[in-house]
Amino acid sequence: MSGVSAPTIAQRHATADRENRYASVLTMSPPAAADLRPLPLDPGRNCWKVAKADRAAFIVDADDYYRVARKAMLSARSRIMLIGWDVDTRICLDQNSDDEAPNHLGPLLSWLHANRPELEIFVLAWNAAAYKFLGRGSTIFRLVTWARHKRVHFRFDAKHPFEASHHQKILVIDDSLAFCGGIDMTGSRWDTREHKDDDPGRRRPTTGRPYTPWHDTAMAMDGEAARALGELARLRWKVGCAEELDEASLPPKAPWPEGLEPGFRDIDIAIARTRGKVPNWTEVREIEALYVDMIMAAERFVYMENQYFASRVIAQAMARRLKEKGGPEFLLVTAKTGMGWLDDEAMSPARAELMKALGEADHEGRLRLYHPVTQGGEDIYVHSKVTIVDNRMLRVGSANLNNRSMGLDSECDVLIDAAQDPSGAAARTIAAIRADLMAEHLGVEVAEVDREFGRTNSLIETVEALRGEGRTLLPLEPEEPSELEKTLAHSESLDPESADESFEPLARHRLLGGIRRLRR
């Protein structure tokens, strides 16, 4: 990441500036406690556990996340657990650090092993990414070196249904500080919130080739919520490696990362999972149930950022609300195009078919899909998985709005419901986060988003009033899929809803059946 321009980022996103960015929203009158009806949380159905965080913070884009995560790992004394879809030891976490520790992930973990004799490090990545390590320069030699150490454990997770992936992105420090979201510690993820055209820091490790501007999000938390994520990480290690780990031998509580302003204090956090059925482990569909419950509970709006839009179940829940007179509006910020063959042949055609069906249900114009672009008009790839409902529910995690994230892959999302905070502070923070995300995509100040939303009381009208030239949001107009692409999308053969359906024939037409039900 040589050549990263830090001053601009610091000017816009240092704590003081962030408070100024949020000022107009944070000073709004909090909703009355009676107006906030808590979302019913049912462990085992729409969540796994509910645990309190002393502090929690929303993090946007990998520039900030990597820097904060590095600080957190440097504070570790007992255990680091890093769980991801992919892990690339070559990535740079902080180009501008002024301490003695290395800035790149692999050397940093080796340095921690050498300098923290009581520290154990566990890294788990999806096994389908294993072949990539052969082309990652010194990475394979680092793994061989780690294999000789008793306190560094690197494993590949192969315990998944056919065609499924391990997709959780979790980092836990000493069971007392944890991160969960959509950001993997791998190549082609780093970017700043500016998403500049031709940013010199946006280069692949080793080759130096540029990659697409990238938007992503995560959540940091401590307290019992972090301890619960530590338990979940150990459970995934047990599933993937058939090894049972004890709790970390807890030292004094891991310090909250310097410079990370907690937006929430003393707040309950719900943790929801997806897990595909494998021998000795049952299917878990808490994430799907939580999505449906949030959509059905929405009164004013649902703001979503997601890589995909291809889930039949989510689309059916949205259709029910769109058919209501005066129901909530839906605004989805998503990637314009996919990143590979699966996206092009499965996700994009399914999105086109679902949008067509939902358009027929949307009699009042309450659904819009947009994609963000840079100042120069380049597409910004949206990898973020965020849902905000009525400025009172904030959900962040790894799950995409596609079928496989509902019942096939391993996923983890976290939810904050501001109804748990009668003071209104949590609701104001969620409103600020939503306005800040919209301002980032539209290339305007948060105050402008807040002012326009206050005038229109509509996310869609706010976007339409503020989007313009340069950095902005553009309406997503999917291309009409070919007959073959429609067949693949309707069959869900490339995006199955569960492990059992991975083996069913193409003639199932489950998505097609779902679309017909939407239209009825």
Side-chain angles (χ1 to χ4, degrees):
M1 286 185 210
S2 59
V4 175
S5 177
T8 303
I9 302 166
Q11 288 169 7
R12 188 175 181 186
H13 297 294
T15 300
D17 288 341
R18 183 180 291 112
E19 289 174 350
N20 290 336
R21 243 172 108 75
Y22 289 176
S24 60
V25 182
L26 289 173
T27 54
M28 293 191 310
S29 299
D35 294 336
L36 298 176
R37 296 193 292 266
L39 183 74
L41 295 172
D42 181 11
R45 186 188 67 83
N46 65 1
C47 68
W48 175 55
K49 286 188 175 183
V50 180
K52 186 173 292 294
D54 300 327
R55 290 166 289 193
F58 183 69
I59 303 173
V60 184
D61 290 319
D63 175 52
D64 284 343
Y65 173 62
Y66 286 173
R67 185 168 51 250
V68 170
R70 179 180 178 275
K71 291 179 181 178
M73 287 189 279
L74 285 172
S75 74
R77 292 296 180 270
S78 177
R79 177 179 293 168
I80 293 173
M81 294 203 72
L82 175 58
I83 311 288
W85 177 82
D86 187 17
V87 177
D88 191 333
T89 62
R90 301 170 300 166
I91 64 169
C92 183
L93 301 178
D94 187 351
Q95 185 68 26
N96 301 297
S97 64
D98 57 2
D99 53 53
E100 60 179 341
N103 287 323
H104 291 77
L105 177 60
L108 175 65
L109 295 180
S110 295
W111 185 90
L112 286 168
H113 170 264
N115 289 272
R116 305 275 195 273
E118 71 283 10
L119 179 65
E120 280 196 291
I121 299 170
F122 296 85
V123 182
L124 184 67
W126 181 33
N127 74 313
Y131 76 93
K132 299 179 182 178
F133 284 73
L134 299 175
R136 290 180 176 175
S138 62
T139 299
I140 192 68
F141 300 104
R142 189 172 300 281
L143 296 186
V144 171
T145 301
W146 286 347
R148 299 199 302 266
H149 297 312
K150 293 182 178 180
R151 293 185 290 107
V152 181
H153 315 271
F154 193 107
R155 301 286 189 275
F156 290 109
D157 187 346
K159 296 297 177 65
H160 297 281
F162 178 67
E163 294 184 341
S165 71
H166 171 69
H167 204 242
Q168 294 170 340
K169 300 96 165 57
I170 301 171
L171 172 64
V172 184
I173 310 297
D174 294 338
D175 279 357
S176 61
L177 175 65
F179 302 83
C180 174
I183 308 176
D184 281 296
M185 287 197 176
T186 191
S188 304
R189 298 295 190 269
W190 180 93
D191 205 353
T192 71
R193 295 195 67 176
E194 279 78 8
H195 303 297
K196 297 176 182 177
D197 294 285
D198 302 320
D199 191 313
R202 214 168 45 237
R203 297 289 186 271
R204 292 183 174 88
T206 305
T207 68
R209 290 182 298 171
Y211 57 86
T212 303
W214 196 277
H215 174 71
D216 222 329
T217 50
M219 181 75 77
M221 66 209 76
D222 63 2
E224 289 302 315
R227 186 185 294 267
L229 281 175
E231 181 183 348
L232 179 57
R234 294 193 299 275
L235 178 61
R236 187 62 235 177
W237 190 273
K238 181 178 180 180
V239 174
C241 307
E243 298 176 21
E244 191 154 0
L245 304 178
D246 295 329
E247 287 189 47
S249 54
L250 294 177
K253 188 169 70 171
W256 186 256
E258 182 183 355
L260 180 62
E261 184 68 18
F264 305 92
R265 293 183 181 273
D266 299 319
I267 194 78
D268 282 344
I269 294 183
I271 303 170
R273 309 164 299 164
T274 295
R275 185 178 66 211
K277 184 174 67 174
V278 293
N280 302 320
W281 296 94
T282 58
E283 180 183 73
V284 175
R285 304 183 73 99
E286 296 155 0
I287 279 175
E288 180 180 72
L290 187 60
Y291 263 126
V292 173
D293 289 351
M294 292 173 69
I295 290 169
M296 300 313 294
E299 297 180 1
R300 298 170 57 203
F301 65 81
V302 179
Y303 173 88
M304 291 175 162
E305 294 184 359
N306 208 276
Q307 183 179 6
Y308 302 124
F309 179 47
S311 167
R312 177 182 60 85
V313 171
I314 303 304
Q316 287 176 327
M318 292 170 64
R320 289 179 60 185
R321 302 309 311 275
L322 288 170
K323 290 178 179 178
E324 297 176 9
K325 185 175 181 180
E329 62 178 355
F330 292 84
L331 190 151
L332 173 59
V333 177
T334 186
K336 180 181 179 181
T337 58
M339 294 291 286
W341 179 84
L342 176 64
D343 292 4
D344 292 337
E345 299 300 328
M347 304 304 175
S348 295
R351 180 175 66 186
E353 294 292 275
L354 288 178
M355 285 181 65
K356 185 185 299 183
L358 287 173
E360 296 175 9
D362 184 19
H363 303 299
E364 297 178 341
R366 290 187 278 111
L367 170 66
R368 290 288 191 282
L369 274 68
Y370 295 94
H371 66 94
V373 294
T374 66
Q375 184 66 30
E378 183 179 3
D379 293 333
I380 299 171
Y381 192 76
V382 177
H383 193 260
S384 169
K385 301 92 170 56
V386 172
T387 301
I388 297 174
V389 175
D390 295 339
N391 287 342
R392 51 157 287 216
M393 284 182 272
L394 169 65
R395 174 184 184 144
V396 186
S398 67
N400 288 310
L401 294 175
N402 58 0
N403 296 321
R404 59 188 308 116
S405 286
M406 301 299 123
L408 189 68
D409 296 340
S410 60
E411 307 281 7
C412 180
D413 286 9
V414 294
L415 168 76
I416 291 176
D417 185 352
Q420 304 296 331
D421 177 16
S423 74
R428 290 195 299 272
T429 298
I430 293 174
I433 288 169
R434 189 264 309 152
D436 186 44
L437 287 169
M438 293 177 66
E440 174 182 333
H441 295 312
L442 289 163
V444 300
E445 295 300 319
V446 172
E448 293 181 70
V449 173
D450 178 38
R451 187 163 50 247
E452 197 62 36
F453 183 70
R455 184 183 70 83
T456 65
N457 200 33
S458 165
L459 297 183
I460 294 172
E461 290 184 35
T462 297
V463 170
E464 287 300 311
L466 295 178
R467 68 184 187 88
E469 300 295 326
R471 179 75 177 275
T472 193
L473 287 170
L474 298 178
L476 183 65
E477 299 176 359
E479 295 182 3
E480 179 69 17
S482 68
E483 290 304 315
L484 175 60
E485 289 172 333
K486 288 181 181 179
T487 300
L488 288 172
H490 292 164
S491 71
E492 296 180 5
S493 58
L494 300 179
D495 184 26
E497 294 184 3
S498 70
D500 293 337
E501 291 175 4
S502 295
F503 299 95
E504 294 184 13
L506 293 179
R508 290 183 299 115
H509 293 306
R510 286 185 57 90
L511 184 66
L512 180 60
I515 290 173
R516 286 171 177 160
R517 285 191 288 276
L518 292 184
R519 288 173 173 158
R520 286 200 298 267

